[in-house]
Amino acid sequence: MEELHKLYNGAYCARYGYACIVDKTRRLPHLKPHFEKLAMVSALFEQGFRAVLVLDDDAFILRPEVSIEHWLTVYQGDSLIAASHGWTTFMPAPDAGRHASGAMPSVYERSTWDVPHHTNPEGFIPTLNSPNTGVLLFVDTTYTRTLLGMLLEN
C-alpha cells in the first residue's frame, strides 16, 4: 500500500511543489497509532508548514486537478477541514483558466460520488456529514495549535 501511496500522492505533491512526507515515527507509544498524526502535524507546524494535509496510508488523491490552495480558499478562515465520506462542493470546471476578460473561472458542483471508488459492504450507506478522519487538512492557526496541544496533553 505504501508504494501506491507514494506513487499517487507523491505525483500530486510533485505537481504543486508540496512536500510529501511518509512518517512512521512513533512519538506517542502510550496511545494508539491513530494519534500519531496529531503529533506529526504539531511538529510540522513548528517547522513552518502553514497547512498540512494528512492522508491515511490507504487514502489517495482522486482529483489531482484540485490543489490544496483551492480548499484553503473555499474554506478560508477555517482551522481544520475534514473530508466526509460523501460531500458536494464547487470544483473548477475543465476550462478553469481565467477568461480573457479577467472573469473568474467556471465552476460546477461535484460530489464524491462522481468519482469511481471501491465498493462498500452490503448495507453500508455513508452519510453526507460523516467525517473521514483519514483525510484531514490542518491549517496553522492559534485554534489548531491549541486544539492539538490539548488533545496531545490529555
Side-chain angles (χ1 to χ4, degrees):
M1 186 68 75
E2 186 176 322
E3 290 306 314
L4 286 175
H5 186 74
K6 287 180 184 177
L7 177 69
Y8 288 100
N9 298 332
Y12 176 80
C13 290
R15 178 179 187 164
Y16 294 101
Y18 303 145
C20 185
I21 301 167
V22 176
D23 188 333
K24 296 182 180 182
T25 306
R26 207 55 179 120
R27 296 172 184 88
L28 307 168
H30 60 290
L31 296 174
K32 292 185 177 185
H34 306 90
F35 289 92
E36 294 295 341
K37 65 180 83 175
L38 302 178
M40 180 193 69
V41 169
S42 185
L44 291 171
F45 284 163
E46 291 301 319
Q47 293 175 36
F49 286 81
R50 72 177 188 93
V52 177
L53 175 63
V54 178
L55 300 174
D56 282 356
D57 62 358
D58 63 347
F60 303 96
I61 301 293
L62 296 177
R63 296 182 185 152
E65 73 277 9
V66 183
S67 68
I68 290 173
E69 285 78 13
H70 167 79
W71 301 114
L72 294 174
T73 300
V74 169
Y75 297 102
Q76 188 172 9
D78 289 346
S79 297
L80 176 61
I81 302 163
S84 116
H85 287 286
W87 46 258
T88 301
T89 190
F90 292 103
M91 303 293 293
D95 66 343
R98 278 202 178 261
H99 300 285
S101 67
M104 291 300 290
S106 304
V107 295
Y108 63 99
E109 200 170 350
R110 197 163 166 194
S111 155
T112 51
W113 309 119
D114 296 332
V115 178
H117 58 286
H118 69 281
T119 304
N120 292 316
E122 187 175 336
F124 176 80
I125 303 172
T127 64
L128 194 58
N129 298 310
S130 110
N132 177 355
T133 59
V135 182
L136 296 168
L137 179 55
F138 292 86
V139 182
D140 186 9
T141 64
T142 301
Y143 175 83
T144 306
R145 285 183 181 242
T146 302
L147 176 65
L148 290 171
M150 291 174 70
L151 289 170
L152 292 170
E153 283 176 14
N154 298 306

